Amino acid sequence: MRKVSTYLPSLIISVILVFLLILSSALLLVDINITAAKLKALAAKNELETKIYTELNKNYNDKYNTTGIPSDVYMSAISNSYLKSIEEAYIDSAFDALNSDGKLNVKIPENKELEENIDKFFNDFADKNNYEKDDNFGLKLRTTKENAYTTIGSYCDVYKFSAMSDHGVLPKLAKLYSNRLLATAGVIGATVLFIVLLVLINRKKKITTLYWCGISTIISGILGGAPSIYLIAVKYFDSFSIKQAAVFTAFTSAMYKYTEAFMAVQMASIVIGITLVVIYGITHEKKKYPDTKPTDIK
């Protein structure tokens, strides 16, 4: 009866511990890896501004027949460093939103050369065609500048934070993200509490706690690691629906990076779990046969 009274509670707690360990590792992954600095570094590593420049140039070339404005009017004033500054402005604004009320407020850096190019094109066109520079001319000029900034911003928003904001996703994520540290502390605290309960339940044979913790850690590593291995093995994120080069690269590289990080944590959990079980086995045998010595065979 004594064994049943310790075995059953230990089993129940170890099952709960499995899910607490998985949740703890996931929350720690969010705390450590999902930050503005990490996303900027990932974007820089993939040189997303180069892909943005190519796509933006194609966009203005395709629209030439509609707008009558040559691509060079825009692109001659746009550098990779300028595109990178806008890209980072969206990332910074998104994390400001996540840490507050979820409202995205992006301030796109001004580009004097771009505005001057548009001014020159419109004025040259008006002078050449005797077009009156009236209120309609001024409105068209202002609208073209505003549209230029909007278009450039749209291409530089590689993680599509604007779309998340427009669809109400960012405010919902903000409620979770802003409380992530509290949630992490709570889950880790619960994990420690259940380990302490295991110690108390097995207080007459405390070494058994190593066994239960080891088994829970191994199972949590398997349950968390198996899906991660599958996602990476089948290149799951390559099926991402948006094929815009910069956006596709941004999302897939981020998802693979986070999946690999989570998988690494789970593999480490399996190793730690096996180590705990092995230590338990060795220690248990020594306690079981404390005076065992080699004997001479005659």
Side-chain angles (χ1 to χ4, degrees):
M1 285 298 292
R2 188 175 72 253
K3 289 184 178 180
V4 174
S5 65
T6 57
Y7 180 84
L8 189 58
S10 296
L11 178 62
I12 294 171
I13 289 174
S14 66
V15 170
I16 296 172
L17 198 56
V18 167
F19 296 101
L20 285 174
L21 289 169
I22 294 173
L23 188 55
S24 295
S25 60
L27 287 171
L28 285 171
L29 180 68
V30 171
D31 293 340
I32 296 170
N33 287 283
I34 303 182
T35 64
K38 293 284 187 179
L39 286 186
K40 286 180 186 178
L42 192 59
K45 180 181 178 181
N46 288 298
E47 298 182 338
L48 296 184
E49 61 275 8
T50 302
K51 294 179 173 63
I52 295 169
Y53 187 94
T54 301
E55 293 174 335
L56 201 55
N57 188 42
K58 182 179 183 301
N59 172 73
Y60 284 125
N61 278 323
D62 291 344
K63 288 185 175 179
Y64 172 69
N65 291 331
T66 303
T67 64
I69 304 176
S71 173
D72 192 56
V73 171
Y74 300 99
M75 301 309 297
S76 63
I78 298 173
S79 64
N80 282 353
S81 60
Y82 177 65
L83 294 175
K84 186 176 181 179
S85 69
I86 300 175
E87 177 189 293
E88 292 184 346
Y90 270 93
I91 294 172
D92 286 332
S93 298
F95 277 88
D96 286 342
L98 286 171
N99 284 303
S100 56
D101 57 4
K103 293 181 181 178
L104 189 68
N105 183 23
V106 185
K107 186 176 181 181
I108 296 177
E110 290 185 357
N111 188 323
K112 296 287 186 183
E113 186 180 354
L114 174 62
E115 294 184 26
E116 289 171 1
N117 282 2
I118 296 173
D119 283 334
K120 186 177 185 305
F121 174 79
F122 269 77
N123 283 297
D124 288 349
F125 180 86
D127 293 341
K128 184 178 180 180
N129 294 279
N130 296 317
Y131 189 89
E132 184 181 355
K133 298 178 184 179
D134 55 9
D135 291 342
N136 287 332
F137 174 85
L139 178 61
K140 181 67 175 176
L141 181 59
R142 288 194 302 274
T143 302
T144 300
K145 290 179 182 179
E146 290 171 2
N147 287 342
Y149 282 118
T150 300
T151 300
I152 295 169
S154 176
Y155 276 86
C156 289
D157 184 16
V158 292
Y159 294 105
K160 291 300 174 186
F161 291 120
S162 292
M164 292 183 193
S165 179
D166 292 341
H167 291 88
V169 176
L170 211 57
K172 292 177 182 177
L173 289 176
K175 293 178 181 178
L176 298 174
Y177 189 81
S178 58
N179 292 308
R180 70 192 185 285
L181 296 178
L182 183 62
T184 302
V187 173
I188 292 175
T191 303
V192 173
L193 175 62
F194 276 91
I195 292 174
V196 170
L197 286 175
L198 275 176
V199 174
L200 293 175
I201 291 170
N202 296 279
R203 59 187 177 276
K204 292 184 178 180
K205 198 175 182 182
K206 292 184 177 65
I207 192 64
T208 309
T209 304
L210 284 179
Y211 170 79
W212 289 111
C213 288
I215 293 298
S216 294
T217 307
I218 292 171
I219 295 173
S220 70
I222 293 171
L223 290 179
S228 302
I229 293 171
Y230 172 79
L231 292 173
I232 294 170
V234 302
K235 298 185 182 300
Y236 179 81
F237 300 113
D238 286 359
S239 61
F240 186 60
S241 60
I242 297 178
K243 298 304 179 183
Q244 188 178 327
V247 176
F248 180 83
T249 303
F251 266 93
T252 55
S253 62
M255 293 309 297
Y256 279 123
K257 178 180 175 62
Y258 297 144
T259 303
E260 287 168 1
F262 186 71
M263 179 185 70
V265 172
Q266 303 313 311
M267 295 302 101
S269 293
I270 293 174
V271 172
I272 292 171
I274 292 172
T275 302
L276 291 175
V277 172
V278 169
I279 292 172
Y280 163 77
I282 294 172
T283 307
H284 178 70
E285 286 300 312
K286 284 184 177 180
K287 287 190 174 184
K288 190 174 180 181
Y289 305 106
D291 298 322
T292 301
K293 296 180 182 179
T295 56
D296 293 332
I297 300 177
K298 296 182 179 180

